[in-house]
Amino acid sequence: MAIKHVIVHQVRRDKTGDKLTIQLRDKENSLDGLAGKLSEDLLDLFSSASLSIGEFQVLDDKEAQPVFEQKLNKFYDEKNNCSNFPELTKVLAKRYESILVSKQLYSVKGGYLVFYQYESRGNNWLAVAILNKTDGIDISNKLDVIPSQVLDLKKLHL
């Protein structure tokens, strides 16, 4: 499996009822750094999960094209090459935000949206994971015990 693209955006709120915070990146995260490692970890988790794909459809109408699919079709050609991955993911992140706002889903906290495209068995796949941070404990350079926050990969939303 080869990861081709990865980018992280933020659409989240701290507490139920709070206003959503949205922060969008203009460039992809580097696959050479920790973002590439995060993508590999997510890919491993995704591969071992019982869910392997999601399907979108408009109610019971299999002929109608869902909004998500419409957005993908604007950015992917017939050979599954993406013309502008950062822009695609920004559009999808804004769509996620609009769903949370329009449907008044005030209890949904959202999180860090990790979009990654990878190739597996000759097919291109787009995955979206929603991650949040969890409180932890760390040790400082002075050997003091200090609070820390890390991404919680145990509570993965795909």
Side-chain angles (χ1 to χ4, degrees):
M1 288 188 254
I3 298 169
K4 295 181 168 188
H5 305 281
V6 63
I7 192 165
V8 180
H9 301 297
Q10 176 183 239
V11 178
R12 60 178 284 276
R13 69 180 95 227
D14 291 326
K15 293 184 276 185
T16 298
D18 282 0
K19 186 176 179 185
L20 286 167
T21 299
I22 184 165
Q23 184 179 359
L24 305 174
R25 283 184 61 91
D26 291 323
K27 295 181 184 176
E28 292 180 38
N29 294 86
S30 172
L31 290 172
D32 295 334
L34 288 174
K37 172 75 172 112
L38 173 63
S39 297
E40 289 172 7
D41 290 350
L42 290 172
L43 198 53
D44 288 343
L45 285 169
F46 186 71
S47 298
S48 65
S50 59
L51 275 176
S52 59
I53 61 172
E55 184 176 334
F56 299 91
Q57 80 179 45
V58 179
L59 300 174
D60 291 332
D61 186 354
K62 293 182 180 182
E63 300 298 316
Q65 192 176 51
V67 173
F68 187 82
E69 195 173 325
Q70 291 174 37
K71 305 286 185 203
L72 292 178
N73 286 335
K74 287 183 181 180
F75 289 90
Y76 281 93
D77 64 19
E78 43 300 318
K79 294 182 181 178
N80 289 324
N81 296 312
C82 187
S83 61
N84 189 335
F85 191 75
E87 192 59 35
L88 165 67
T89 62
K90 285 163 75 172
V91 166
L92 294 175
K94 288 177 186 175
R95 175 72 182 152
Y96 177 69
E97 176 196 28
S98 72
I99 290 169
L100 295 183
V101 170
S102 69
K103 298 200 182 286
Q104 300 178 348
L105 301 172
Y106 301 118
S107 64
V108 176
K109 293 204 168 110
Y112 298 94
L113 278 66
V114 182
F115 292 87
Y116 56 103
Q117 180 182 339
Y118 64 97
E119 186 177 336
S120 175
R121 294 171 284 194
N123 293 307
N124 282 302
W125 300 87
L126 175 65
V128 184
I130 301 173
L131 300 173
N132 281 289
K133 291 184 178 180
T134 187
D135 292 328
I137 299 172
D138 200 0
I139 304 291
S140 73
N141 292 339
K142 295 180 181 180
L143 301 179
D144 292 325
V145 178
I146 57 173
S148 176
Q149 284 196 325
V150 295
L151 288 175
D152 188 356
L153 295 181
K154 294 177 185 169
K155 294 180 183 170
L156 184 63
H157 302 283
L158 294 169

